[in-house]
């Protein structure tokens, strides 16, 4: 199961979690962002499931659509024999209901609101549901999902195992109803300060001479020479303002915040993950769960509201033995932050900007997906046979229910597009087009 994730061996935390959660019905896993919590709870959970039972046996709850989709993706990449469905807002619940009836999932991943809606409508059988995992429990509390969680637990009265996963501890964990009668075993890896992040993450302080830090941000990004960076801001309006400024300066930018439609949020992440955008301007919505390999730079344009949010943001970099750099921008009226165990080193950006570096990749949209029996191999075959592409021309591929996003080398994109025009994929006509930043 690890091969599909590109992991050779488990960390100490993951080994402890597999052993402990696999042999106890009630458990709490406290571990910092970026430590591999998802794999740590999915492995023992999968071992408890019966691939011969066609009814749902396990439920994993995540606080946001993006985290649900990411957990779903990790579980699929593990290549188990378990059928999984992902349930979340942004699409019709009836479509999910039809998909579950046809697919007969043995495990469900979803957000509290959508899962509760399905439960109240009786859209999937619950009499074989025995295992519940609540991921990012601290974020659940922050987003006020307590009522939904309690309602779900009450409806699922046949649950045997309960696991809470969190990056931080909370007094409310002890009052979680199933734990009041049966105290859980606790695996606590949630250390604070410098131990929360690996030593490979370096922390820098960047002073801006102006209150409006846009020019300082531009100079900082210029020095990254096209390497991917996430710029964290405090407000949705700031995402739009800063993103527009950077686009006008020639940067390839994706915008990400909770006010966007789900389709636009997904497109923004695909553009960034696929390498077609090298700057993601985001609120803290992306500070948890977003896994982007080789992300080197995190920039804090606005200081986070809480100290722990700083560590969550930084947790997007320095993952899987990569190095990472965190840059805090401070205006003339702002004070240097003080975070437990963190020492900030002064960093002076370039004095004059260089031209922005264009990304190596572009993103293509193909209007067929899983429901058309399309897989990654079909996409590669289509682009190579009809489009004249070679393996080096094709990057990351994300196959969704009704469409596919695929990264293609910028210099080869127009040729591949022209060759694929009006061609069929698996004998089906399809739409294939370039995904634009402002679409």
């Amino acid at each position: 199961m690890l091969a599909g994730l590109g992991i050779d061996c488990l960390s100490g935390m993951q080994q402890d979690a597999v052993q402990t959660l696999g042999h106890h019905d009630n458990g709490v896993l406290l571990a910092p962002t970026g430590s591999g919590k998802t794999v740590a709870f999915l492995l023992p959970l999968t071992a408890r499931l019966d691939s011969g039972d066609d009814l749902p046996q396990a439920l994993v709850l995540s606080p946001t659509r993006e985290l649900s989709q990411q957990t779903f993706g990790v579980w699929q990449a593990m290549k188990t024999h378990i059928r999984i469905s992902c349930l979340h807002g942004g699409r019709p619940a009836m479509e999910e209901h039809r998909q579950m009836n046809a697919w007969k999932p043995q495990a469900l991943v979803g957000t509290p609101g959508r899962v509760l809606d399905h439960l109240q409508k009786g859209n999937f059988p619950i009499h074989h549901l025995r295992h519940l995992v609540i991921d990012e429990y601290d974020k659940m509390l922050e987003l006020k999902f307590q009522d939904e969680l309690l309602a779900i637990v009450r409806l699922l009265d046949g649950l045997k195992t309960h696991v809470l996963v969190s990056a931080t501890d909370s007094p409310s964990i002890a009052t979680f109803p199933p734990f009041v009668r049966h105290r859980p075993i606790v695996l606590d890896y949630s250390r604070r300060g410098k131990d929360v992040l690996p030593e490979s993450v370096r922390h820098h302080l960047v002073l801006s001479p102006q209150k409006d830090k846009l020019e300082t941000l531009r100079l900082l990004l210029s020095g990254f020479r096209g390497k991917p960076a996430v710029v964290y801001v405090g407000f949705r309006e700031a995402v739009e303002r800063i993103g527009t400024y950077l686009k006008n300066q020639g940067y390839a930018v994706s915008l990400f915040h909770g006010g966007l439609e789900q389709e636009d949020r997904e497109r923004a992440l695909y553009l960034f993950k696929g390498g077609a955008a090298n700057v993601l301007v985001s609120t803290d919505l992306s500070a948890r769960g977003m896994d982007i390999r080789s992300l080197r730079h995190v920039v804090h344009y606005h200081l986070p509201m809480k100290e722990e949010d700083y560590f969550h943001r930084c947790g997007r970099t320095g993952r899987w033995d990569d190095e990472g750099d965190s840059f805090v921008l401070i205006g003339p009226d702002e004070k240097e932050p003080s975070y437990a165990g963190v020492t900030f080193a002064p960093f002076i950006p370039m004095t004059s900007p260089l031209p922005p570096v264009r990304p190596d990749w572009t993103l293509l949209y193909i209007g067929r997906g899983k429901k058309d029996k399309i897989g990654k191999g079909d996409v590669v075959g289509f682009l190579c046979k009809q489009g004249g592409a070679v393996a080096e021309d094709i990057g990351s591929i994300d196959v969704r229910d009704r469409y596919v996003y695929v990264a293609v080398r910028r210099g080869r994109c127009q040729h591949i597009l022209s060759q694929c025009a009006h061609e069929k994929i698996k004998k089906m006509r399809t739409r294939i087009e370039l995904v634009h930043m402002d679409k």
Side-chain angles (χ1 to χ4, degrees):
M1 285 190 282
L2 297 182
L5 301 172
I7 301 174
D8 295 326
C9 60
L10 297 177
S11 68
M13 179 275 289
Q14 291 169 331
Q15 292 176 20
D16 288 347
V18 169
Q19 180 68 21
T20 304
L21 300 180
H23 293 86
H24 290 82
D25 288 341
N26 289 321
V28 176
L29 174 60
L30 304 174
T33 291
S35 60
K37 296 191 296 295
T38 304
V39 173
F41 70 74
L42 284 181
L43 283 172
L45 177 60
T46 302
R48 289 179 179 264
L49 304 184
D50 179 3
S51 61
D53 186 345
D54 286 340
L55 295 177
Q57 304 161 53
L59 172 63
V60 177
L61 295 174
S62 298
T64 67
R65 301 168 184 173
E66 289 74 22
L67 283 173
S68 293
Q69 291 169 342
Q70 182 154 304
T71 300
F72 175 70
V74 170
W75 214 344
Q76 284 189 312
M78 289 166 59
K79 300 187 184 302
T80 70
H81 297 294
I82 302 300
R83 296 187 300 276
I84 316 154
S85 285
C86 191
L87 313 174
H88 56 73
R91 59 186 179 188
M94 184 57 67
E95 180 180 320
E96 293 179 339
H97 186 199
R98 286 194 296 267
Q99 189 264 348
M100 284 190 286
N101 285 338
W103 182 237
K104 299 188 184 306
Q106 296 151 315
L108 304 169
V109 179
T111 52
R114 177 53 61 90
V115 168
L116 182 58
D117 180 56
H118 282 300
L119 283 171
Q120 291 171 335
K121 293 176 179 176
N123 285 349
F124 58 84
I126 63 173
H127 52 281
H128 281 209
L129 257 171
R130 296 290 181 267
H131 314 289
L132 173 67
V133 176
I134 301 179
D135 191 17
E136 298 282 5
Y137 185 68
D138 51 344
K139 188 67 173 178
M140 291 282 195
L141 300 180
E142 181 182 327
L143 295 176
K144 311 297 183 184
F145 282 133
Q146 294 96 319
D147 291 343
E148 287 89 346
L149 295 178
L150 291 176
I152 290 171
V153 170
R154 292 191 189 102
L155 288 170
L156 301 180
D157 54 5
L159 290 172
K160 177 184 177 183
T161 68
H162 308 81
V163 174
L164 299 188
V165 183
S166 182
T168 56
D169 200 357
S170 168
S172 64
I173 290 177
T175 64
F176 182 60
F179 293 169
V180 173
R181 289 179 296 172
H182 305 287
R183 294 183 64 83
I185 187 166
V186 179
L187 286 172
D188 190 354
Y189 286 81
S190 61
R191 296 158 300 188
R192 297 189 64 79
K194 64 181 180 180
D195 294 327
V196 171
L197 294 171
E199 294 182 359
S200 57
V201 177
R202 295 172 292 268
H203 306 269
H204 309 278
L205 197 69
V206 183
L207 301 180
S208 171
Q210 292 88 26
K211 184 176 180 179
D212 190 335
K213 297 174 279 191
L214 289 175
E215 182 60 20
T216 301
L217 174 63
R218 179 190 178 194
L219 293 171
L220 182 63
L221 293 177
S222 180
F224 296 166
R225 306 311 300 139
K227 297 294 175 59
V230 178
V231 178
Y232 281 110
V233 302
F235 314 97
R236 297 176 180 179
E237 296 77 10
V239 171
E240 300 289 344
R241 184 177 78 91
I242 294 169
T244 299
Y245 169 81
L246 292 175
K247 288 179 181 179
N248 290 338
Q249 299 301 319
Y251 286 90
V253 183
S254 275
L255 309 183
F256 190 83
H257 60 74
L260 297 173
E261 295 293 334
Q262 176 67 11
E263 181 180 353
D264 295 328
R265 283 158 58 179
E266 289 183 357
R267 184 186 304 115
L269 285 184
Y270 294 148
L271 283 163
F272 188 63
K273 288 183 176 182
N278 45 25
V279 179
L280 178 71
V281 182
S282 174
T283 60
D284 282 326
L285 183 62
S286 70
R288 300 190 188 215
M290 184 179 68
D291 186 9
I292 299 176
R293 298 294 176 91
S294 302
L295 174 61
R296 176 69 178 268
H297 303 114
V298 171
V299 179
H300 310 266
Y301 188 90
H302 293 140
L303 291 174
M305 297 296 291
K306 296 180 292 186
E307 177 179 333
E308 67 188 58
D309 291 335
Y310 176 78
F311 296 115
H312 285 304
R313 290 178 176 185
C314 293
R316 300 309 102 210
T317 188
R319 300 165 73 91
W320 307 104
D321 298 325
D322 288 332
E323 293 186 335
D325 289 280
S326 169
F327 299 87
V328 174
L329 272 59
I330 296 294
D333 299 329
E334 296 177 306
K335 294 182 179 180
E336 176 181 341
S338 176
Y339 300 133
V342 174
T343 300
F344 289 99
F347 185 90
I348 301 175
M350 306 181 72
T351 55
S352 58
L354 296 171
V357 176
R358 299 180 75 193
D360 294 330
W361 300 90
T362 55
L363 197 67
L364 295 185
Y365 169 94
I366 300 175
R368 296 285 180 177
K370 291 178 185 177
K371 290 187 178 295
D372 305 296
K373 311 298 183 186
I374 298 296
K376 291 185 179 181
D378 301 310
V379 174
V380 172
F382 174 67
L383 295 178
C384 291
K385 185 176 180 180
Q386 275 81 16
V390 296
E392 291 75 17
D393 296 331
I394 303 172
S396 62
I397 301 173
D398 199 313
V399 182
R400 310 301 294 177
D401 284 347
R402 300 193 181 279
Y403 58 87
V404 175
Y405 283 130
V406 54
V408 173
R409 289 282 178 190
R410 180 175 296 277
R412 295 279 291 156
C413 179
Q414 289 303 324
H415 173 78
I416 293 171
L417 266 177
S418 63
Q419 293 293 103
C420 288
H422 311 299
E423 293 290 342
K424 297 179 180 180
I425 181 169
K426 292 186 73 173
K427 299 182 179 181
M428 294 179 290
R429 293 193 180 279
T430 186
R431 180 161 56 100
I432 177 170
E433 62 188 20
L434 182 66
V435 179
H436 296 283
M437 298 288 171
D438 298 318
K439 183 175 178 180

